[in-house]
Amino acid sequence: MPLFRVVSRTTWDQTQQQGFVPRCGNDHKNDCVHLNLEEAVLYTANKYFSHEEAPLVLEIDEPAVSHCLKWLPPNEEQPWQRPRAHIDNLPQSAILSARPLAYQAGSWHWPS
């Protein structure tokens, strides 16, 4: 099952320098690395990222993190499972690809 993480361009630049994806505020608050299923990517991008942040979608190698995944059930606001990796940081080696999202009419979309 493909897993994803949405990050800002700045975070992606830091990832390439440090070798891991730095935790965001919600990651620190919940002591885990928040990941997404594909159906949650645009929800996450539109809820948490501004146009200036130029978010990218990181595709994560699920077997690389499967040992530390816990799944939260769907809820009313997010009607999909919510994967959480209980690791200090997401290593760059677990990233299969990084793709920018497209910004149109005030919201983020998958590029055409």
Side-chain angles (χ1 to χ4, degrees), residues 47-100:
K47 182 169 181 164
Y48 295 106
F49 294 88
S50 68
H51 181 260
E52 294 76 24
E53 291 176 293
L56 294 97
V57 178
L58 309 180
E59 183 177 357
I60 308 304
D61 180 21
E62 192 271 337
V65 296
S66 63
H67 67 283
C68 60
L69 282 179
K70 291 191 180 177
W71 295 82
L72 296 180
N75 63 32
E76 195 171 300
E77 184 181 357
Q78 299 176 44
W80 45 74
Q81 287 187 308
R82 297 169 291 142
R84 305 293 183 254
H86 290 271
I87 51 179
D88 290 335
N89 292 293
L90 182 63
Q92 188 173 0
S93 61
I95 300 169
L96 299 173
S97 66
R99 296 180 288 164

Side-chain angles (χ1 to χ4, degrees), residues 3-111:
L3 296 175
F4 300 91
R5 170 116 176 152
V6 183
V7 299
S8 68
R9 170 60 69 181
T10 300
T11 298
W12 178 238
D13 292 343
Q14 291 171 342
T15 299
Q16 293 177 306
Q17 293 172 3
Q18 299 173 348
F20 61 88
V21 180
R23 283 187 169 198
C24 69
N26 281 337
D27 292 344
H28 286 293
K29 179 178 146 188
N30 295 310
D31 194 27
C32 64
V33 174
H34 291 80
L35 301 173
N36 300 109
L37 296 178
E38 186 171 359
E39 55 263 43
V41 167
L42 294 179
Y43 167 87
T44 300
N46 285 302
K47 182 169 181 164
Y48 295 106
F49 294 88
S50 68
H51 181 260
E52 294 76 24
E53 291 176 293
L56 294 97
V57 178
L58 309 180
E59 183 177 357
I60 308 304
D61 180 21
E62 192 271 337
V65 296
S66 63
H67 67 283
C68 60
L69 282 179
K70 291 191 180 177
W71 295 82
L72 296 180
N75 63 32
E76 195 171 300
E77 184 181 357
Q78 299 176 44
W80 45 74
Q81 287 187 308
R82 297 169 291 142
R84 305 293 183 254
H86 290 271
I87 51 179
D88 290 335
N89 292 293
L90 182 63
Q92 188 173 0
S93 61
I95 300 169
L96 299 173
S97 66
R99 296 180 288 164
L101 291 172
Y103 194 75
Q104 282 182 289
S107 64
W108 295 107
H109 304 274
W110 290 103

